[in-house]
Amino acid sequence: MLLRPSVAKESLDSVERSDQIDRREDMGGANLKAETMALMDKRAAMETEMNSIVERLCNPGGPGLSGNLVDSEGFPREDIDIPAVRAQRRRLAELRNEHSEITDKINVNIQILHSVRPTSRASSAKDSGPQERSLPGEVASLSASMQTSGFTVTSRAMDMDSVTSIPFAMVDEITESSPAAEDGLQLGDQVVKFGNVEGGDNLLPRLAAEAQANQGQAVSVGVIRQGAKLDLSVTPRVWQGRGLLGCHFRLV
């Protein structure tokens, strides 16, 4: 069956418009992917700086993240550089706030990238029905990159959902030879899961209750360390020190 010239022209115009839309979508996805990767690099650098600050503040004899800067008599401590400690704590607070903002932005971008659905494209002047095209390669490569940045990605045929691990606490003190240290926890680890605790309200009492309820039993612990998600197994138990873990969690 031959198409009338006007009909053929309309069909060709439709194909051209579809191609232009597809090109714009691909360019937009590439730009968003590049922006997200840059944000992830920036966040990783911030996490490295945060961990460095935590290590300096929590060195043996150090003031910790929230320890007193005065002695028992109320005088400034002479064993620490108080202005430097205050500056480091202030910088850590700034980094935490910015880290949270960047993480939110990354989450939004990832949701946009993974909500892309195939569009119909005409392959010729004759209507051959809608054809699906796969997700852009940039999204697939971003998924691989997220594995080293605290992200877990699950995919389906045409939809991809991202689940982001958000830290709710940080190990700011840990005692050598304690159960926590022996089982793999490290100073500066950002906790995203401790047994059945994965966020919410009343976190410190819930963490303590979870450890107490699982005394002598392995507890699944998820942490982010240097930007990488790690799964550990920690067993709360009695030892020569205080508590069942020998570490302190600070909410973030």
Side-chain angles (χ1 to χ4, degrees):
M1 176 180 175
L2 297 176
L3 295 174
R4 294 192 305 273
S6 59
V7 176
K9 184 176 185 304
E10 291 175 358
S11 298
L12 291 173
D13 289 344
S14 176
V15 172
E16 184 177 354
R17 285 195 297 271
S18 178
D19 288 341
Q20 291 175 350
I21 292 173
D22 288 334
R23 284 195 295 270
R24 285 198 296 269
E25 288 179 349
D26 290 342
M27 290 178 60
N31 291 338
L32 189 59
K33 180 257 184 179
E35 175 189 330
T36 305
M37 294 298 292
L39 287 172
M40 292 169 69
D41 289 341
K42 181 177 181 180
R43 186 178 65 173
M46 291 173 59
E47 290 170 349
T48 299
E49 183 179 355
M50 290 167 65
N51 289 335
S52 176
I53 293 175
V54 170
E55 289 178 3
R56 289 197 299 270
L57 291 175
C58 297
N59 280 332
L65 300 184
S66 59
N68 288 331
L69 302 182
V70 296
D71 58 24
S72 58
E73 297 180 352
F75 293 99
R77 290 175 54 177
E78 298 182 353
D79 59 327
I80 58 175
D81 186 341
I82 293 180
V85 170
R86 286 174 174 166
Q88 290 173 354
R89 288 178 174 178
R90 183 168 57 251
R91 176 57 179 164
L92 184 60
E94 294 172 351
L95 288 169
R96 282 174 171 168
N97 291 334
E98 190 174 355
H99 183 278
S100 178
E101 294 174 358
I102 289 179
T103 298
D104 290 341
K105 178 62 176 175
I106 290 173
N107 293 343
V108 170
N109 288 1
I110 292 172
Q111 290 294 336
I112 294 173
L113 286 170
H114 288 281
S115 65
V116 175
R117 292 181 178 275
T119 59
S120 298
R121 176 181 296 186
S123 60
S124 64
K126 181 178 179 179
D127 184 13
S128 59
Q131 296 183 346
E132 294 184 346
R133 60 186 177 92
S134 60
L135 287 170
E138 291 84 352
V139 179
S141 64
L142 178 59
S143 300
S145 299
M146 288 189 295
Q147 300 299 331
T148 59
S149 301
F151 289 94
T152 301
V153 180
T154 58
S155 60
R156 296 191 297 273
M158 296 315 303
D159 294 329
M160 301 184 76
D161 297 330
S162 62
V163 180
T164 308
S165 300
I166 305 297
F168 59 83
M170 176 182 288
V171 179
D172 65 350
E173 294 180 16
I174 188 166
T175 304
E176 186 178 357
S177 299
S178 66
E182 290 185 349
D183 290 349
L185 276 177
Q186 294 183 13
L187 188 69
D189 280 351
Q190 301 174 65
V191 182
V192 299
K193 180 182 187 303
F194 187 89
N196 293 320
V197 181
E198 299 186 45
D201 299 324
N202 302 317
L203 285 171
L204 290 179
R206 289 167 58 200
L207 287 170
E210 189 73 12
Q212 190 69 40
N214 289 280
Q215 181 174 343
Q217 303 178 33
V219 176
S220 176
V221 180
V223 302
I224 296 177
R225 181 182 299 163
Q226 297 295 328
K229 175 72 161 49
L230 301 177
D231 293 317
L232 306 175
S233 180
V234 178
T235 301
R237 54 190 182 272
V238 177
W239 61 299
Q240 68 271 22
R242 296 178 56 186
L244 298 175
L245 294 174
C247 70
H248 181 266
F249 296 119
R250 177 181 176 82
L251 300 184
V252 297

